[in-house]
DNA sequence: ACGCTTTCAGACCAAACGGTCTGCTTTAGA
DNA sequence: TCTAAAGCAGACCGTTTGGTCTGAAAGCGT
């Protein structure tokens, strides 16, 4: 009981590895064994149709899981709730995902790719002001269009990212390290005021994600959300004013 | 099942009201009834001693609850885990708090006061740049010294603040409205560049809290946390550069 | 049409967990 | 010292929930 947290993390790690393999080969796996008696090779057409169906259903479940996990947290969301939302039976859900953790991790994995993508666009040959402006816009659009993803990511990181830590540490660290260098170059060239690159990136993340993660607070205070187009542009403009002014060389 | 979320919220609301009364009168309540037979009026000294003990124990439990809730979320944290951490029995915990929700709400209530306090300091007669600089520092100190509070607050808001919403909406809205006016005055006086006050406040919140809420991410990327004094001052300086420059009139 | 595989549902199970009940111990007024 | 109330613990209970078992339909190659 006392180390249930640590034990759970260990379990999760293990499951991540397993799911890496099993997820991609699911449905074909039993075929490898128990050949011998009969060479039943399905036609390419039917196979791909089946796979498409299977993948579609997986996607539906993942979507429902994302929605539900992001609302109630991993422990607050029950499998039955997710199954209901995805309009499948609980048993059926367990047919596609071996357990809750694998489902959760699958959701997270999709997330991380999506979350990291915008930062990759940062390249040295861009004008820094434009690059940052673009980044703000893309990230704010992400907050508007994928609030569930944003919240779930936030939740996971906040709880110590027990599942993503390994996946987060290396790739994220490398990517950021890379972008830090880009920003530093800009600074050295006098295109950006002297600000610690780390914190610039953190500020960009923080300010844009805030509008998704603290949505209800923002709604309580301002009475609007990013779904309101006017509020969206107003927000973007304000962030540009604050941050771009802040980092423009004087 | 399908509306368990809504039902829970309703339950919570109700409990909030109850706990408002019962919490303050706890321990004295049975005395009101069943008088009549004997007037057993405890001395002021012993009463206060008892109360002190009682309050201390409550505080210990609240502290443990905060720590545990902020780590695992309300559903991920079990009462037994909290009791263990507070070094009391589960039964004993239920002696002080009628149920999990009341415990959780009590933690949140303490939180909100703490969280709101810094903003109250904003007054019109200050120099805006100094006021914002102070605010950044205080909020960053909060992130450093009360990371659990910060995270739990974030979690609660992210999940739609089912418990705090009523308490959040009115007071927060009023307070912010007030401070918006202060900032607008500064802008009108030309002491601050023309930026939508809402978003300035949001940016201040977002950037400072980020260091507590995304601590593990920051650690993964930068390898340091606010606990490192050098990193703390570096962070503060960077935020000042970015935001203060951004809002200073040119 | 036959037979194997995939897909899926209902009944079921064991563990976890929030919460209660009973009763013992301590405190403190009389 | 006696006694009522406060403080507290262990056993216990009902529900929820992640997950399994059994077996039946549907898909598909032959």
């Amino acid at each position: 009981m006392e180390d249930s947290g640590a034990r759970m993390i260990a379990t999760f790690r293990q499951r991540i590895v397993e799911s890496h393999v099993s997820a991609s080969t699911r449905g074909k796996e039993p075929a490898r064994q128990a050949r011998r008696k009969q060479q039943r090779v399905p036609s390419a057409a039917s196979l791909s149709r089946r796979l498409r169906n299977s993948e579609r259903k997986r996607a539906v479940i993942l979507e429902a899981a994302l929605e539900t996990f992001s609302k109630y947290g991993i422990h607050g969301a029950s499998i039955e709730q997710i199954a209901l939302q995805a309009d499948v039976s609980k048993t059926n859900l367990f047919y596609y995902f071996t357990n809750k953790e694998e489902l959760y991790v699958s959701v997270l994995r999709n997330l991380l790719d999506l979350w990291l993508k915008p930062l990759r666009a940062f390249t040295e040959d861009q004008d820094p002001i434009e690059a940052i402006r673009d980044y703000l816009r893309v990230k704010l659009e992400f907050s508007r269009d994928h609030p569930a993803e944003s919240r779930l990511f936030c939740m996971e990181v906040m709880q110590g990212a027990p599942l993503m830590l390994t996946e987060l540490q290396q790739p994220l660290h490398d990517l950021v390290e890379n972008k830090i260098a880009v920003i530093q170059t800009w600074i050295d060239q006098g295109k950006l005021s002297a600000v610690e690159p780390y914190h610039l990136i953190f500020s960009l993340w923080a300010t844009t994600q805030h509008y998704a993660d603290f949505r209800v607070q923002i709604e309580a205070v301002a009475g609007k959300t990013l779904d309101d187009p006017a509020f969206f542009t107003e927000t973007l403009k304000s962030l540009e004013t604050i941050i771009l002014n802040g980092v423009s060389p004087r």
Side-chain angles (χ1 to χ4, degrees), chain A:
Chain A
M1 161 54 62
E2 71 270 3
D3 66 336
S4 74
R7 209 177 50 237
M8 192 184 290
I9 294 171
T11 313
F12 279 10
R13 290 250 174 77
Q14 183 184 330
R15 295 287 164 84
I16 291 176
V17 177
E18 285 171 13
S19 74
H20 247 135
V21 185
S22 65
S24 55
T25 61
R26 178 173 311 282
K28 289 174 284 184
E29 207 148 20
R32 285 190 310 190
Q33 313 220 343
R35 245 344 42 147
R36 203 156 305 256
K37 29 168 69 175
Q38 193 163 3
Q39 276 296 348
R40 168 79 57 102
V41 179
S43 74
S46 78
L47 193 82
S48 80
R49 183 162 10 110
R50 274 219 160 155
L51 227 61
R52 258 206 323 278
N53 271 335
S54 174
E55 283 308 311
R56 202 190 314 140
K57 202 152 196 174
R58 270 181 79 88
V60 169
I61 295 172
L62 282 169
E63 178 66 26
L66 168 68
E67 215 61 46
T68 312
F69 280 141
S70 78
K71 248 185 236 151
Y72 305 101
I74 181 176
H75 300 285
S78 76
I79 289 286
E80 192 148 352
Q81 210 176 340
I82 294 170
L84 221 70
Q85 169 133 356
D87 202 39
V88 300
S89 73
K90 199 173 73 162
T91 321
N92 199 189
L93 188 154
F94 276 118
Y95 177 76
Y96 288 97
F97 298 90
T98 57
N99 53 39
K100 196 181 190 180
E101 294 130 356
E102 198 215 303
L103 175 58
Y104 185 72
V105 171
S106 298
V107 173
L108 282 185
R109 200 188 309 285
N110 290 352
L111 211 85
L112 194 57
D113 288 344
L114 217 59
W115 196 92
L116 280 175
K117 201 186 291 175
L119 192 58
R120 298 191 206 278
F122 253 67
T123 55
E124 208 166 306
D125 54 318
Q126 294 173 293
D127 174 57
I129 301 302
E130 280 315 306
I132 294 173
R133 191 195 306 277
D134 283 349
Y135 189 67
L136 278 174
R137 201 197 65 246
V138 171
K139 278 299 232 183
L140 207 59
E141 283 169 353
F142 185 84
S143 286
R144 180 193 59 191
D145 302 331
H146 302 279
E149 277 90 343
S150 188
R151 283 196 302 265
L152 191 59
F153 181 79
C154 180
M155 265 179 145
E156 178 61 16
V157 171
M158 248 192 331
Q159 306 203 2
L163 299 110
M164 287 205 298
L165 205 56
T166 44
E167 321 203 28
L168 199 64
Q169 263 167 346
Q170 203 51 31
L172 184 71
H173 186 274
D174 292 354
L175 181 60
V176 171
E177 208 62 56
N178 186 303
K179 300 312 173 187
I180 296 281
V182 172
I183 293 173
Q184 192 58 53
T185 308
W186 286 335
I187 294 173
D188 293 344
Q189 294 171 346
K191 295 179 180 173
L192 220 55
S193 77
V195 55
E196 204 59 52
Y198 281 134
H199 300 291
L200 172 56
I201 292 180
F202 293 153
S203 292
L204 294 174
W205 284 346
T207 49
T208 51
Q209 287 174 206
H210 190 76
Y211 288 87
D213 303 340
F214 284 76
R215 179 195 166 112
V216 300
Q217 194 188 36
I218 285 170
E219 205 167 358
V221 168
K224 293 173 196 161
T225 70
L226 291 185
D227 293 326
D228 178 340
F231 188 74
F232 181 89
T233 50
E234 174 194 312
T235 303
L236 188 56
K237 206 164 143 289
S238 297
L239 290 185
E240 286 174 358
T241 304
I242 294 173
I243 295 184
L244 284 183
N245 269 355
V247 297
S248 295
R250 314 215 122 193

